[in-house]
Amino acid sequence: MAFMEKPPARKVLLDDTVPLTAAIEASQSLQSHTEYIIRVQRGISVENSWQIAGLSLPLPPKKLIGNMDREFIAERQKGLQNYLNVITTNHILSNCELVKKFLDPNNYSANYTEIALQQVSMFFRSEPKWEVVEPLKDIGWRIRKKYFLMKIKNQPKERLVLSWADLGPDKYLSDKDFQCLIKLLPSCLHPYIYRVTFATANESSALLIRMFNEKGTLKDLIYKAKPKDPFLKKYGNPKKIQGLELQQIKTYGRQILEVLKFLHDKGFPYGHLHASNVMLDGDTCRLLDLENSLLGLPSFYRSCFSQFRKINTLESVDVHCFGHLLYEMTYGRPPDSVPVDSFPPAPSMAVVAVLESTLSCEACKNGMPTVSRLLQMPLFSDVLLTTSEKPQFKIPTKLKEALRIAKECIEKRLIEEQKQIHHHRRLTRAQSHHGSEEERKKRKILARKKSKRSAVENSEEHSAKYSNSNNSGSGASSPLTSPSSPTPPSTAVEHAPF
């Protein structure tokens, strides 16, 4: 069966970028060890949570004597909770396949490398000129995207990279339009887009081949990493943190902005900018993975920009992600958190100006500038680009319309997610305020005041009743009326003329 003949399969609805949180709920002593019960939650919904039982976590270090004491177990549980918090809040660790399998075994039990190999094998039946050299294990961050080093049989010295990926939750193109657009990618020629050698797709996945680049990506340059090493090893704990030279920042930044503007003008959705998706070819940056938006894959920074309701278009997502990339080029590491309150010293204030326009509290609250606006800023406006290659990317009108509709659907899902996060944040803030010590004191004081006021009112009412009863018993009589008697008419007389 050829790759294109694979029977239809629906897209993966699970968004792998939604953060998982883990809290240790209880522990139980079993013979010679202690097991911990962990509740894991995906995103903000408490309903979307589950328990992991029967797990023995290895950290922090064990105690040889007295390790079954209740006090020690409670103390150890705190240490283990901190350990889990570090893992789930670290952007690279939290997206690691091993972490996902540990916290969510039901959704991540499949062997994705084996699935990819099956798909690639089917492809080779219809395309015998290609041959796999070796799998490039875990060189990317995506769990459902796999890479293989390739060669052409009649050109054995040339090395290429094959990438295979599942459909994601944002795949809104029809199968026909999706396959047509994937096959269109090799025709895209731009000085700052890394060329696709071959591309094909079926109803459930896509397969693309590009030339292998020994220099690696922009992220490899920043972290001084070897391109073939696993993603976690390359970027998880860098030995030396050092940003790029100012001229490199200016040139690379300008090149990336130029290609983003080209894609925006073409109506081609991107939304996947980060340092690992920028290939270095000499002194030229070339954008990778244009297929990701067609596949409907979620962005690397989605868990970040989904917190800000003003970043609600793919254009604004690209600009915000460019801010992350510029920060990494400048300081040699990603920001600790976003928004960024204050920026460390940079090679130029012009760099800080761009960072403030994309990553500051004000920018995240009020919205992103356009790519055209960034190109006009002093950091990039004086950069001269020397390229003679003319951009070419012809997209038929029908497919342009399909891309526009798909882009709107992607943005609609993002906006809906942002609304839910905003509502959850407000609710959490209100509950936190309601449960704070100061608020509890205020409620106690108000309750005391209300109680005192009620006591005073009851006392006054009681005194009034006591006074009335004394008056009625002093000899002054009043006519008695039966409860059933009608109310007597008014004694006032109205004089009418005769």
Side-chain angles (χ1 to χ4, degrees):
M1 183 187 288
F3 179 75
M4 291 298 296
E5 295 170 359
K6 185 177 182 296
R10 63 188 183 88
K11 66 182 180 182
V12 177
L13 296 176
L14 188 69
D15 188 337
D16 294 324
T17 64
V18 176
L20 297 178
T21 53
I24 300 174
E25 288 193 325
S27 61
Q28 53 186 355
S29 297
L30 298 175
Q31 296 176 354
S32 60
H33 69 282
T34 304
E35 289 185 346
Y36 296 89
I37 299 169
I38 303 171
R39 177 160 295 278
V40 182
Q41 182 174 316
R42 172 176 282 104
I44 58 174
S45 175
V46 179
E47 294 173 1
N48 197 3
S49 65
W50 57 92
Q51 276 189 347
I52 306 175
L55 296 170
S56 182
L57 298 178
L59 295 175
K62 294 180 178 180
K63 184 180 178 183
L64 293 176
I65 299 171
N67 60 359
M68 302 300 283
D69 294 345
R70 188 176 296 177
E71 293 82 4
F72 174 72
I73 290 171
E75 185 183 340
R76 182 175 170 77
Q77 184 170 320
K78 286 181 184 177
L80 292 170
Q81 184 62 62
N82 290 335
Y83 170 62
L84 283 173
N85 292 346
V86 168
I87 291 173
T88 54
T89 54
N90 182 291
H91 193 59
I92 291 179
L93 282 175
S94 61
N95 283 300
C96 175
E97 185 176 349
L98 290 173
V99 172
K100 297 282 190 185
K101 282 182 181 288
F102 174 74
L103 294 177
D104 189 3
N106 290 337
N107 281 310
Y108 297 97
S109 58
N111 186 331
Y112 300 108
T113 303
E114 187 62 35
I115 293 169
L117 277 169
Q118 289 173 6
Q119 295 287 316
V120 172
S121 298
M122 283 191 278
F123 160 70
F124 284 138
R125 291 177 193 176
S126 59
E127 296 286 344
K129 70 172 184 176
W130 309 97
E131 190 176 315
V132 171
V133 177
E134 62 176 323
L136 297 171
K137 196 175 178 184
D138 301 329
I139 65 165
W141 68 276
R142 291 188 187 278
I143 295 170
R144 305 174 203 272
K145 192 168 190 176
K146 299 299 175 184
Y147 299 86
F148 302 88
L149 194 65
M150 308 282 295
K151 68 178 180 181
I152 304 173
K153 286 183 179 178
N154 60 1
Q155 294 173 288
K157 290 186 178 180
E158 242 180 28
R159 290 292 179 265
L160 304 98
V161 173
L162 181 150
S163 65
W164 172 89
D166 253 342
L167 302 181
D170 279 324
K171 191 265 185 182
Y172 296 104
L173 292 163
S174 69
D175 290 342
K176 184 181 177 182
D177 290 340
F178 165 66
Q179 290 175 23
C180 287
L181 281 162
I182 287 289
K183 290 178 180 179
L184 203 63
L185 291 177
S187 68
C188 178
L189 301 176
H190 192 283
Y192 309 124
I193 292 177
Y194 201 67
R195 183 82 184 269
V196 175
T197 305
F198 177 87
T200 188
N202 62 18
E203 295 86 351
S204 65
S205 59
L207 180 153
L208 291 90
I209 298 175
R210 296 175 173 91
M211 294 300 297
F212 176 69
N213 190 329
E214 295 285 350
K215 279 193 172 183
T217 64
L218 182 56
K219 201 172 183 83
D220 293 327
L221 174 69
I222 295 169
Y223 288 77
K224 297 172 179 59
K226 296 176 182 176
K228 289 184 184 179
D229 283 346
F231 194 85
L232 190 60
K233 181 181 178 181
K234 288 189 286 190
Y235 315 126
N237 187 24
K239 293 176 182 178
K240 189 178 181 182
I241 297 173
Q242 185 178 352
L244 304 181
E245 298 291 331
L246 179 60
Q247 193 54 48
Q248 288 177 305
I249 294 170
K250 287 168 70 73
T251 303
Y252 296 161
R254 176 67 189 258
Q255 291 171 350
I256 292 163
L257 288 173
E258 287 290 347
V259 71
L260 288 178
K261 187 176 186 304
F262 172 78
L263 292 173
H264 292 179
D265 291 345
K266 285 284 181 182
F268 191 95
Y270 187 54
H272 293 273
L273 181 62
H274 59 90
S276 289
N277 271 354
V278 179
M279 189 67 80
L280 267 184
D281 190 1
D283 292 326
T284 304
C285 281
R286 302 188 196 273
L287 209 60
L288 284 166
D289 288 4
L290 265 63
E291 68 272 16
N292 282 359
S293 58
L294 306 179
L295 283 155
L297 304 180
S299 171
F300 182 65
Y301 291 115
R302 185 181 179 90
S303 61
C304 178
F305 60 71
S306 60
Q307 307 294 318
F308 310 111
R309 298 179 74 181
K310 288 290 185 179
I311 307 175
N312 53 17
T313 65
L314 286 184
E315 289 85 358
S316 62
V317 164
D318 283 335
V319 171
H320 180 70
C321 292
F322 178 79
H324 283 263
L325 175 57
L326 182 62
Y327 190 103
E328 210 164 354
M329 285 197 291
T330 305
Y331 302 112
R333 60 178 180 83
D336 294 327
S337 61
V338 175
V340 181
D341 294 324
S342 61
F343 296 91
S348 167
M349 285 307 296
V351 176
V352 177
V354 179
L355 290 173
E356 286 177 342
S357 71
T358 54
L359 296 179
S360 68
C361 295
E362 187 180 351
C364 293
K365 184 179 178 182
N366 299 327
M368 297 289 112
T370 61
V371 170
S372 298
R373 173 72 190 96
L374 291 181
L375 282 166
Q376 293 168 1
M377 295 183 77
L379 183 63
F380 307 115
S381 60
D382 62 347
V383 176
L384 296 174
L385 298 176
T386 55
T387 177
S388 57
E389 189 179 343
K390 189 179 178 182
Q392 291 180 25
F393 192 21
K394 291 181 181 179
I395 305 173
T397 307
K398 187 183 174 184
L399 291 179
K400 276 189 178 180
E401 180 62 15
L403 281 173
R404 185 189 64 78
I405 295 168
K407 177 178 176 290
E408 286 178 358
C409 292
I410 292 169
E411 291 169 350
K412 186 178 178 182
R413 186 175 87 88
L414 173 61
I415 291 167
E416 188 56 40
E417 185 179 330
Q418 288 170 333
K419 281 181 183 176
Q420 291 173 4
I421 291 171
H422 179 71
H423 175 72
H424 175 74
R425 195 184 291 134
R426 286 183 63 185
L427 191 65
T428 304
R429 212 161 32 223
Q431 289 172 344
S432 176
H433 176 69
H434 191 71
S436 66
E437 189 65 34
E438 186 180 344
E439 193 63 21
R440 283 201 295 269
K441 285 179 181 177
K442 282 182 183 178
R443 288 201 299 273
K444 281 181 181 179
I445 292 167
L446 285 172
R448 285 198 205 103
K449 285 181 179 178
K450 190 175 180 181
S451 178
K452 284 180 182 178
R453 201 182 305 123
S454 180
V456 170
E457 286 173 359
N458 288 339
S459 177
E460 287 175 353
E461 190 179 336
H462 179 73
S463 299
K465 284 181 181 178
Y466 181 73
S467 176
N468 287 340
S469 64
N470 284 344
N471 289 339
S472 62
S474 62
S477 60
S478 58
L480 296 174
T481 58
S482 169
S484 60
S485 303
T487 306
S490 172
T491 54
V493 179
E494 186 176 334
H495 296 280
F498 291 96

